Amino acid sequence: MADLLDQPGIRVRRAPLEPLHVLHCDPDDAEALGAELGVTLPTAPLRAGDGAGPRALHLAPDEWLLVGWRGEAALTRPHALVEVSSRSLTLEIEGEHAVALLSAGCPLDLELMPVGAATRTLLGAVQVTLERQRHCFRMQYWRSFDSYVTGFLQAAASDLPAPVAS
Amino acid sequence: MRLSTGGRVDRARPVSFSFDGRPMTGFAGDTLASALLANGVHLVGRSFKYHRPRGVFGAGVEEPNALVGVDRGEGRWEPNQRATTVPLYEGLTARSQNAWPSLRFDVGALNDLAAPLIPAGFYYKTFMHPRRAWEKLYEPLIRRAAGLGTAPTEPDPDRYAQHWAHAELLIVGSGPAGLAAAMAAAPSGRRVILCDLDEELGGSLLSRPDAVIDGRPAWEWLESALATLCAAPNVRLLPRTTAFAYGIDNLVSLAERLTDHRPPAAATGARERLWQVRAGQVVIASGAHERPLVFPGNDRPGVMLASAAETYIRRYGVLPGKRVVVLVAHESGLRAAEAARAVGAEVKVVDLREEPAPEATRGRLRISGVKLRSGWEPCDLLLMAGGWTPALHLFSQSRGTVAWSEERQIFLPGESAQPETSVGGCNGTFGLDDCLAEGWAAGGDTGPRPSAEPGASGPSSPLARPDSADGRAFVDFQNDVTAKDIRLAVREGFRSVEHIKRYTTTGMATDQGRTSNINALAIASDALDRPVPAIGLTTFRAPYTPVTFGTMAAMTRGPLFDPVRTTPIHDWAVAQGAVFEDVGQWKRARYFPRAGEDMHTAVARECLAVRAGAGLFDASTLGKIEVVGPDAAEFLHRMYVNAFLKLGVGKCRYGVLCREDGFVFDDGVIGRIAEDRFHVTTTTGGAAGVLHMMEDYRQTEFPELKVWLTSTTEEWATIALQGPRARDILSPLVEGIDLDPESFPHMALKLGRVAGAPTRLWRVSFTGELGFEINVPSIHGRAVWEAVWEAGQRFGITAYGTETMHVLRAEKGYIIVGQDTDGTVTPFDAGLGWAVGKTKRDFVGKRSLERPAMLRADRKQLVGLDLPDGATVPEEGAQIVDPAEPTRAIGHVTSAYASACLGRPIAMAMVRGGRERIGPVAIAGEGAPVPARVCGTVFIDPEGARLSG
């Protein structure tokens, strides 16, 4: 897919669609349910699992977002598993100015956001789910906000503050 | 007059500019004020109320007088700019304000002659009668007379950027204290942001080339200090950046000016940037402002703060006068005297600690003499050194409490409310070495600190307390408030500084009393014979200096003002020429006009087509919540007024949701997908509110229930196919679903495929016709819509919008929450009593619904209004009256439409005791009341035969 943005230090492109499911359950049941699903559910808050295959983002005490998991599961403990593959769109933002770009609209301290962290936050007026991976930020948002989010990033990219000590 | 040497201006780079059309030349590095003074221009503006001639008074943001308009081209006219902070650039065009026909001869100066007639508060006393004249006459007149510059009328063509930043240390002010803090902090690796509102970093050092730091001349030291900081990867230097607001949790807002120092043609990119900095620690090093002295005639052009003159001489190489009198109430004034003398001016120092303040001055457009104890002294520059007022603005905004020092006669930072430290002038520390020491300590206190010759820290002189009631001794120059006005306010009974401020307007306007507040306080204290702290200090509010609307809005304008949400079918509707309406943030197709159709005709056609054949409607914006878990049915049973425990899998039920107060909050159809899984729909506007309300109850009221909520609004596209031919259109498209009415009756749902996409197919209707709502994952929405559209062509399928949807549902008496209800309507009022589970032990709102007041027979109830053929459609919101007593409103119209199916208007209304009142009423409006009859709410097919078709 064509890049939404490609300029020195910044590249923004759409990520291919992947199966997405929201899993809610009692945190005490998370380990057992994860085993039944075949996905490791991180227990630390606001962390994403890593490794190949499906992974889970721990977004709230009783909530995980499963990325790339597909299939049926006979689960033995109380839970809610809801498919949301069509709900969102995902962008990948990479480059040395990625933090500066996102900081136009995201109030979190992204410089200190570690690789492997994931959280719900804001980009301007829109709620997004932001995950920091080794090479990029992945940002997910509900699809009806697409024109706002892409317009916001394009506007922000043209007016980034100069890097420090450059 | 420009000196032949000295200053920081770049004499190799002359800059042309104009003031009131007169071409002049300055140098790069000048401000407009320094360049005007270099060209011998002292008269720069006219005052606000009396139109008195005014000149450059200060050298920075404290400037109350020299306000000008700067013209940067179409849409870029900016009034009320302080000439002292406008950087000079090639081609700068500035104009004076508040003067007509010219600055030198201003008719408005007649006000000055009438001054005895227009003292403080004269507006309130004069413009009282007749009351009606206020709106039409007095207010427009006063508004025209008031204000200084004229507001621009064109839209702002510039862009404004915004940025969130985080720093362990934010330093506001780059004078010696701020610089020392940054240098101490830099080696630690902590993230440091150092901002300063000036064009250059350095603060007071820029006016002190004579000072010596670490054995080096101050400017040399400054250069190397800045080079060190610039090279530090953890330090961000932000010149031209004003910290204008200090919020909670150490969130400080900065306005960075990016292009205004360049000629408009060379100004590319965003004009300004809003920084929102979350800081671990804030070091406030905002300095101090020099106090003017209050004596008669202290406002003429050529009367200036002593420190400002020092700055013009030393930083800009401009001597603002050759014959200088310096009024010294604080010893810092001696520095200005020395600076002027060093460049050849004739200087007389008058020590006000030993003799009284001047009695008068003279000179119409520029000062020519001052009357001292010894008699008239000719001069062309009169300098005032009244001591220093720490700039407590940001400290006060941080909710720190200020403390009065009786000994020093200044307010100082008291107790901090947030992680913040004040250093240097704003902390009452004035000696150079003391400032360096204090800043160094605040920055981390590591290693040997920079040091200067120990300078006097300046024992502050007592406040100027002029007691002369004669003459015009100005306190607030920008608002033309004199000492007499403040004494008048006190005589008229005002005691609190907040009241005195509002009555006299002292301390208002763009400079927010930066130079005037403390003198006003001293005079009030004197007049009331109470100590200064007993009168109080007015609150310092953001912004510290005026901030452009552009920066405040930053990126939140144009297409980014508010998100515009669109459905998967939006582009199709656009291609079909749909007219859209805003529903919350959503764009919804309102109707689909064909060539030559207005809304009325298009809607009439769409309505008839749905009832005669089939219509297609995009209902994707409806809110959807997936309620899942072993206790899902129990949870909905407790939330909604309806019974949900026994709803079978594969069935749908219309649900009504009340708030705790028993009033209808939302409604929607709820389908049971599985034993433990419900697909809940909400209104478009209610989606977020319902989810929040449910989450609130789930977590706080019913934590024992094993149930969870997931928003699926955007997971599903919802396509409503309505009309007698709906089944015929759908049947070739479905897989695994039997559409036969026996197996798939009204209010049932089935899972399967439509046009190849997985679907949750509901048989529901908001039109009263046979209908289906096809839920498919959003990514398939457009394709399925087009497949249905294609299949419907031979049945005359018609796309319809929200307007037609409204008419069709009103013909059936289906309510729209928020239109037919208004937050004071119970399910019983709305005619939805049938939905309330009579045997339910509890549900949200049940107790409220049992209160006697909620059961009264004369509550407003939803009814239909039967209107005669040929009647016009009543206004929604129109009052309904009893024809026998037409002055008493008994209700109001909630919905009204032209019904093409019935050939006459229909309306729904909330009417007192409406259901018992079947019979004649009248609808009030312009002209005579229109007769109508209260009737049932169902206008078409009351038996529901068409639904079960």
Side-chain angles (χ1 to χ4, degrees):
Chain A
M1 233 173 282
D3 291 350
L4 279 170
L5 266 174
D6 191 359
Q7 66 184 55
I10 293 178
R11 188 161 169 210
V12 179
R13 59 184 162 183
R14 293 190 185 277
L17 295 176
E18 287 179 282
L20 298 170
H21 291 77
V22 173
L23 173 71
H24 282 99
C25 67
D26 188 319
D28 293 339
D29 294 334
E31 197 183 334
L33 282 166
E36 288 174 350
L37 287 162
V39 183
T40 307
L41 302 182
T43 49
L46 306 181
R47 295 297 296 187
D50 52 11
R55 64 187 203 286
L57 278 52
H58 192 188
L59 295 177
D62 62 354
E63 181 186 349
W64 287 261
L65 178 69
L66 311 184
V67 181
W69 180 84
R70 61 187 88 213
E72 302 279 319
L75 305 179
T76 55
R77 305 188 187 221
H79 70 280
L81 186 62
V82 177
E83 178 165 8
V84 291
S85 307
S86 268
R87 186 173 69 166
S88 308
L89 298 171
T90 303
L91 300 180
E92 289 179 357
I93 299 118
E94 61 180 314
E96 56 179 322
H97 302 325
V99 164
L101 177 69
L102 292 170
S103 294
C106 178
L108 295 183
D109 191 347
L110 300 178
E111 284 172 337
L112 299 190
M113 183 179 187
V115 169
T119 184
R120 268 187 280 257
T121 180
L122 289 171
L123 183 82
V126 170
Q127 179 182 298
V128 299
T129 300
L130 192 66
E131 180 189 359
R132 188 167 201 170
Q133 297 190 327
R134 199 161 307 284
H135 299 295
C136 69
F137 286 92
R138 280 173 62 92
M139 186 171 73
Q140 210 183 78
Y141 52 91
W142 291 358
R143 62 171 51 241
S144 69
F145 293 109
D146 193 45
S147 67
Y148 178 92
V149 169
T150 54
F152 189 98
L153 292 178
Q154 276 156 354
S158 50
D159 292 317
L160 295 184
V164 172
S166 61
Chain B
M1 183 191 86
R2 181 79 66 183
L3 298 163
S4 55
T5 57
R8 299 176 67 80
V9 291
D10 186 349
R11 287 161 199 271
R13 287 169 59 205
V15 175
S16 341
F17 70 103
S18 78
F19 179 63
D20 278 346
R22 206 180 120 196
M24 295 182 219
T25 310
F27 289 124
D30 262 327
T31 62
L32 176 59
S34 67
L36 285 172
L37 291 171
N39 283 273
V41 176
H42 277 260
L43 173 64
V44 179
R46 289 276 175 169
S47 72
F48 177 73
K49 183 170 159 186
Y50 300 126
H51 291 248
R52 286 171 66 90
R54 292 282 166 81
V56 175
F57 182 87
V61 294
E62 75 283 0
E63 176 63 43
N65 282 347
L67 301 185
V68 298
V70 176
D71 190 354
R72 292 175 64 85
E74 173 90 11
R76 295 187 169 99
W77 160 258
E78 196 153 25
N80 299 340
Q81 296 302 292
R82 296 169 299 270
T84 52
T85 61
V86 173
L88 202 68
Y89 54 81
E90 182 63 34
L92 183 145
T93 308
R95 289 203 291 274
S96 62
Q97 309 183 143
N98 212 33
W100 182 86
S102 77
L103 185 57
R104 295 180 68 82
F105 177 77
D106 175 19
V107 168
L110 285 172
N111 279 3
D112 200 27
L113 300 176
L117 304 177
I118 49 176
F122 87 99
Y123 301 105
Y124 313 121
K125 294 164 186 161
T126 312
F127 299 109
M128 291 178 69
H129 305 287
R131 273 183 62 178
R132 284 174 54 198
W134 179 256
E135 201 180 318
K136 293 268 185 294
L137 182 65
Y138 297 150
E139 193 181 349
L141 269 177
I142 293 171
R143 284 198 181 282
R144 201 166 331 133
L148 291 161
T150 49
T153 51
E154 302 88 14
D156 183 347
D158 281 313
R159 292 206 309 269
Y160 296 81
Q162 64 183 47
H163 192 77
W164 291 90
H166 298 261
E168 280 66 49
L169 189 64
L170 168 68
I171 303 164
V172 179
S174 65
L179 272 180
M183 294 182 72
S188 70
R190 290 183 294 165
R191 290 173 295 177
V192 177
I193 294 176
L194 173 65
C195 70
D196 195 297
L197 44 72
D198 206 329
E199 295 293 304
E200 267 192 277
L201 298 178
S204 61
L205 292 179
L206 299 171
S207 305
R208 297 290 307 277
D210 55 318
V212 175
I213 301 175
D214 284 347
R216 300 158 75 185
W219 288 358
E220 201 184 304
W221 180 85
L222 173 63
E223 198 174 325
S224 83
L226 290 176
T228 307
L229 292 174
C230 213
N234 55 321
V235 179
R236 183 182 282 283
L237 301 179
L238 293 175
R240 299 190 184 94
T241 303
T242 307
F244 65 89
Y246 197 134
I248 56 169
D249 287 338
N250 263 9
L251 180 70
V252 182
S253 304
L254 322 178
E256 181 185 15
R257 299 179 300 283
L258 298 167
T259 59
D260 273 6
H261 59 291
R262 299 204 185 99
T268 53
R271 178 183 175 216
E272 296 182 355
R273 178 178 292 115
L274 172 69
W275 290 79
Q276 285 173 288
V277 182
R278 187 75 72 180
Q281 177 83 16
V282 176
V283 171
I284 305 175
S286 50
H289 298 300
E290 192 167 31
R291 279 178 211 175
L293 298 166
V294 183
F295 58 88
N298 62 343
D299 68 325
R300 295 186 198 280
V303 181
M304 197 181 279
L305 294 172
S307 58
E310 187 185 357
T311 295
Y312 288 118
I313 296 166
R314 295 196 149 141
R315 177 170 173 186
Y316 298 104
V318 171
L319 179 59
K322 289 177 187 155
R323 215 168 165 165
V324 187
V325 174
V326 189
L327 304 174
V328 174
H330 184 276
E331 65 195 27
S332 64
L334 298 174
R335 276 211 316 262
E338 190 186 305
R341 206 173 272 134
V343 293
E346 189 180 317
V347 178
K348 177 180 174 68
V349 171
V350 180
D351 193 338
L352 295 192
R353 292 165 295 189
E354 282 162 16
E355 68 170 277
E359 284 168 37
T361 63
R362 61 187 175 203
R364 194 170 77 84
L365 300 179
R366 178 164 177 191
I367 193 163
S368 61
V370 55
K371 191 173 182 193
L372 303 170
R373 190 171 56 181
S374 52
W376 281 102
E377 176 78 23
C379 66
D380 61 0
L381 184 66
L382 179 59
L383 301 182
M384 306 184 282
W388 295 82
T389 301
L392 298 175
H393 304 68
L394 285 181
F395 172 77
S396 177
Q397 284 178 26
S398 79
R399 292 174 297 125
T401 50
V402 300
W404 174 250
S405 162
E406 187 60 32
E407 176 205 358
R408 304 183 61 190
Q409 294 283 297
I410 51 179
F411 281 104
L412 290 168
E415 208 169 310
S416 291
Q418 302 202 45
E420 148 284 325
T421 324
S422 291
V423 296
C426 66
N427 193 36
T429 303
F430 299 123
L432 180 52
D433 193 57
D434 296 337
C435 286
L436 291 168
E438 218 168 80
W440 190 263
D445 207 6
T446 45
R449 70 168 179 89
S451 63
E453 304 276 302
S457 76
S460 192
S461 323
L463 282 174
R465 296 192 177 199
D467 50 13
S468 155
D470 302 326
R472 312 276 290 287
F474 284 86
V475 175
D476 187 314
F477 296 83
Q478 196 166 92
N479 269 352
D480 270 350
V481 179
T482 63
K484 211 157 70 174
D485 289 325
I486 291 167
R487 289 179 196 283
L488 175 71
V490 169
R491 276 206 307 282
E492 293 189 357
F494 295 96
R495 293 291 176 272
S496 153
V497 69
E498 297 287 356
H499 293 146
I500 293 171
K501 166 176 172 172
R502 279 156 187 81
Y503 190 62
T504 63
T505 73
T506 188
M508 294 188 169
T510 60
D511 73 343
Q512 288 286 294
R514 203 157 275 130
T515 51
S516 65
N517 277 346
I518 203 78
N519 282 334
L521 260 184
I523 293 164
S525 144
D526 193 43
L528 286 163
D529 197 20
R530 294 164 70 197
V532 166
I535 299 165
L537 188 62
T538 55
T539 312
F540 294 100
R541 293 197 176 84
Y544 175 63
T545 55
V547 176
T548 59
F549 282 122
T551 288
M552 278 191 260
M555 291 174 67
T556 309
R557 57 196 298 223
L560 299 177
F561 178 69
D562 198 36
V564 173
R565 303 176 70 179
T566 54
T567 74
I569 294 137
H570 180 82
D571 292 345
W572 185 91
V574 171
Q576 295 285 319
V579 172
F580 291 86
E581 69 169 338
D582 293 335
V583 180
Q585 293 175 325
W586 289 100
K587 287 280 176 208
R588 299 196 73 181
R590 192 172 185 196
Y591 56 100
F592 291 81
R594 291 182 183 165
E597 281 185 338
D598 61 5
M599 181 168 92
H600 181 81
T601 339
V603 169
R605 172 181 51 76
E606 289 173 12
C607 284
L608 292 170
V610 174
R611 297 224 185 273
L616 199 57
F617 175 71
D618 181 5
S620 302
T621 64
L622 285 184
K624 299 157 207 101
I625 302 167
E626 193 109 326
V627 178
V628 185
D631 296 323
E634 175 65 27
F635 177 72
L636 292 175
H637 196 67
R638 293 186 194 181
M639 293 301 301
Y640 282 78
V641 304
N642 316 65
F644 273 99
L645 291 178
K646 292 184 186 144
L647 180 69
V649 171
K651 297 291 179 200
C652 302
R653 178 162 291 165
Y654 170 72
V656 177
L657 183 67
C658 285
R659 301 181 309 217
E660 200 65 68
D661 58 16
F663 295 128
V664 175
F665 178 59
D666 200 77
D667 69 350
V669 177
I670 296 169
R672 191 162 195 170
I673 306 294
E675 209 43 53
D676 63 348
R677 182 177 298 261
F678 290 80
H679 180 132
V680 174
T681 66
T682 74
T683 59
T684 295
V690 172
L691 181 64
H692 289 158
M693 175 179 168
M694 285 188 179
E695 248 333 313
D696 187 2
Y697 276 88
R698 188 187 78 84
Q699 293 185 21
T700 64
E701 300 292 326
F702 314 136
E704 74 282 5
L705 297 184
K706 295 282 182 206
V707 62
W708 294 274
L709 314 171
T710 304
S711 172
T712 48
T713 301
E714 301 228 25
E715 172 67 9
W716 302 99
T718 304
I719 300 163
L721 173 62
Q722 302 278 309
R725 308 309 298 268
R727 188 182 290 113
D728 301 328
I729 295 169
L730 199 53
S731 54
L733 298 174
V734 294
E735 293 166 57
I737 296 174
D738 181 0
L739 294 181
D740 180 71
E742 291 295 312
S743 80
F744 199 175
H746 182 53
M747 298 305 270
L749 72 83
K750 290 191 177 188
L751 310 184
R753 285 182 173 273
V754 172
T759 186
R760 290 176 176 177
L761 184 64
W762 299 29
R763 192 174 154 196
V764 290
S765 171
F766 200 43
T767 58
E769 301 298 324
L770 165 68
F772 295 92
E773 285 186 5
I774 308 161
N775 293 287
V776 291
S778 294
I779 50 170
H780 303 300
R782 172 82 184 260
V784 171
W785 173 280
E786 290 191 50
V788 176
W789 178 251
E790 210 47 52
Q793 287 307 309
R794 66 193 184 97
F795 299 97
I797 194 167
T798 298
Y800 68 97
T802 50
E803 196 62 28
T804 292
M805 176 268 282
H806 281 184
V807 179
L808 296 173
R809 65 88 202 179
E811 289 172 344
K812 287 294 295 178
Y814 300 145
I815 67 159
I816 288 184
V817 170
Q819 172 154 348
D820 301 300
T821 70
D822 62 4
T824 66
V825 174
T826 69
F828 299 103
D829 299 340
L832 301 172
W834 57 268
V836 180
K838 305 294 179 299
T839 57
K840 286 175 71 168
R841 199 170 56 84
D842 199 6
F843 57 82
V844 175
K846 181 176 168 74
R847 271 191 304 173
S848 299
L849 287 175
E850 287 168 358
R851 291 168 56 231
M854 300 290 249
L855 301 169
R856 286 169 55 146
D858 65 347
R859 288 184 61 80
K860 281 188 181 176
Q861 295 168 337
L862 189 74
V863 294
L865 291 182
D866 209 358
L867 293 151
D869 289 354
T872 51
V873 180
E875 291 271 337
E876 289 174 352
Q879 295 296 310
I880 292 168
V881 295
D882 187 333
E885 198 190 345
T887 52
R888 199 169 70 91
I890 55 169
H892 62 277
V893 175
T894 60
S895 297
Y897 309 96
S899 166
C901 300
L902 295 170
R904 60 189 162 86
I906 58 166
M908 293 162 86
M910 293 296 294
V911 175
R912 284 200 185 286
R915 283 195 286 274
E916 297 299 313
R917 190 185 274 272
I918 302 297
V921 291
I923 301 169
E926 288 185 30
V930 177
R933 281 184 64 81
V934 171
C935 62
T937 53
V938 187
F939 293 91
I940 283 183
D941 186 30
E943 314 76 37
R946 303 177 69 94
L947 266 183
S948 39

